[in-house]
Every structure is written in structure tokens, then in C-alpha cells.
Amino acid sequence: MVVAGCTRCIKYMLFFFNFVFWLAGGVILAVALWLRHDSKTSNLLIQQFEGHQAPGTFYISVYILIAVGAVMMFVGFLGCYGAIQESQCLLGTFFFFLIMLFACEVAAGIWGFMNRDTISKEMINFYDSAYIKAVDITGTPNKDSAIKVLHVFHSTLECCGKGDDGPLFKQVTGTLCPKLTAKDLLESQSCHVKLIDLFSEKLYLIGLAALAVACIMIFEMIFTMVLCCGIRNSPPY
């Protein structure tokens, strides 16, 4: 009797955590879609220069987050149903998916930690390649397209230049940063700093979401194992 009561208690606790897990999957999916379609990052990452698209490494982490959110919603539903039905088969399947999801998240976290500076560095290199062509006084064939790319970066990030601008850039500042007043130019940060801040903020948000999911999954795995043991040891009705 006591065992059955404990089993029911664990069942409802697991159902509650699974429901939270399902909601968390929906929130993560929504955040990932927002990151994918955020106007700032989208405006920068759709740029093309000299036949090359702006580096899209950032979108790899976003697509991983979208996949995680979608799988979490499916797994959360499976866990809720398995807990209510007290089905060892469904709970075992749920536990397997949790393990796989947790392993993928750890792998993605390691990849993200190792490449945390890569995204901003790639975007800075892309910006610098357009910057060099835009300030070239010889009038290279790609100068107009380089100026267009810089216009997008400067208007999106509200910056101007890369911080150590030479006299050539200062001569064409009015052309490359037409939306900034003289006061704005004095107070604006370099585009290098703005790019680092932008992608660091996005990756920090992704990291927080991944940490929250990992904590929930650990509790899910513990309760699932306890419930499976309780079902196995409980006497038949």
C-alpha cells in the first residue's frame, strides 16, 4: 500500500516535470526561431561580397537549438503519457530519448565553447575585407558593393569604422556612415566591438537555455528511473 502510494506520488511528480519539460521545449523553440529571424543578425548574415556569403557559423548553433526544442516537445509529451499510463515501455523509450538528447546537448556545448570566439572573428574578417575595398582610392571594381556592405553594418550596429581608422577612412566617413552625425561619430563604438558584443550576447542566451535544459533533464532521468523501479516492485491491482 505504501509502495503504491509512493509510486503514484512519483508518477504525478514526473508528469509535472515532463509538462515543464514540454513547456521548456516550446520556449526554446520560440527563442531559437527569434534568434534565426532577428533583424540585426539577419541583416548582417545575408550580406554577400565578392561572391561570398557572410559567415553563417552562428546559424549552426541556432539550428541545433531549433532541433533541441522540437525534440523536447515530442519527448515531453511522450514522458507525460508514459507517466500517466505507468508504462515501463513508454518510460524506457522516454529515458532513452533523454539520454540521447543530453549527450547531444553536451556535444553541442563543447562545440559552442570551443568556437565561442569564431563567429565574431569570422564576421570581423568579413567586415574588414569590405572595409579595405571601400577605402581604396584606386577605384577597384568591387568598391560599390563594399560600400553597400559597410552601409548595412554601420546602420544595423550603429557604429562606424573598426576603431583604428586611418586618414583614408576619415576622408570618406560621410559616405560610409551617412546616418551618423558628427556627435554620433565621436561617441560611436567601433564595429569590431559591436560585432563581438552582438554575438556574445546571443551565444550567452543560447548557453543559458542549454544549461536550464540540462538541469531539467537530470531531474527527469532520476524520476523516470525511480518510477520504473516503483512500477516494477508494486503489486498488481
Side-chain angles (χ1 to χ4, degrees):
M1 195 74 177
V2 175
V3 174
C6 290
T7 302
R8 280 195 296 271
C9 181
I10 294 170
K11 176 179 75 172
Y12 292 124
M13 289 180 68
L14 181 60
F15 177 84
F16 171 76
F17 272 100
N18 282 326
F19 183 69
V20 172
F21 190 71
W22 181 82
L23 286 178
V27 171
I28 287 174
L29 184 60
V31 170
L33 291 173
W34 171 75
L35 289 171
R36 175 61 181 84
H37 299 288
D38 178 52
S39 59
K40 272 194 173 183
T41 51
S42 295
N43 287 342
L44 300 180
L45 294 174
I46 62 172
Q47 296 304 307
Q48 291 187 349
F49 180 63
E50 294 185 330
H52 298 289
Q53 186 83 21
T57 309
F58 172 73
Y59 280 149
I60 295 176
S61 57
V62 173
Y63 291 140
I64 291 173
L65 205 62
I66 290 174
V68 168
V71 173
M72 279 179 65
M73 293 190 72
F74 170 74
V75 172
F77 173 78
L78 187 67
C80 286
Y81 187 73
I84 291 298
Q85 295 295 321
E86 297 186 14
S87 169
Q88 290 192 62
C89 179
L90 286 175
L91 289 174
T93 305
F94 170 70
F95 187 79
F96 171 77
F97 276 116
L98 275 182
I99 293 291
M100 295 298 294
L101 199 58
F102 189 78
C104 291
E105 187 174 354
V106 170
I110 294 172
W111 176 87
F113 180 78
M114 294 178 64
N115 294 274
R116 63 190 184 281
D117 298 324
T118 302
I119 297 171
S120 55
K121 285 180 180 177
E122 288 179 346
M123 291 302 296
I124 287 171
N125 290 336
F126 182 79
Y127 173 86
D128 287 349
S129 65
Y131 178 97
I132 292 170
K133 296 290 184 180
V135 300
D136 191 352
I137 58 174
T138 60
T140 56
N142 295 320
K143 184 169 184 176
D144 289 340
S145 61
I147 291 174
K148 290 179 181 178
V149 170
L150 291 192
H151 279 171
V152 174
F153 272 79
H154 293 161
S155 60
T156 302
L157 299 173
E158 296 181 352
C159 61
C160 188
K162 57 181 184 177
D164 56 349
D165 308 298
L168 286 177
F169 181 82
K170 293 177 181 178
Q171 292 177 13
V172 293
T173 300
T175 303
L176 298 178
C177 309
K179 294 185 179 181
L180 297 180
T181 64
K183 182 180 178 182
D184 293 333
L185 290 173
L186 292 173
E187 297 176 352
S188 65
Q189 290 181 305
S190 74
C191 292
H192 285 189
V193 173
K194 287 281 193 173
L195 282 169
I196 293 172
D197 290 345
L198 174 66
F199 288 103
S200 295
E201 178 187 339
K202 305 296 186 187
L203 290 174
Y204 180 72
L205 182 61
I206 292 173
L208 283 179
L211 182 61
V213 171
C215 292
I216 294 173
M217 280 197 288
I218 290 172
F219 281 104
E220 293 272 358
M221 287 187 280
I222 293 172
F223 280 116
T224 302
M225 290 183 66
V226 172
L227 181 58
C228 280
C229 292
I231 294 171
R232 189 176 301 147
N233 296 329
S234 62
Y237 295 108

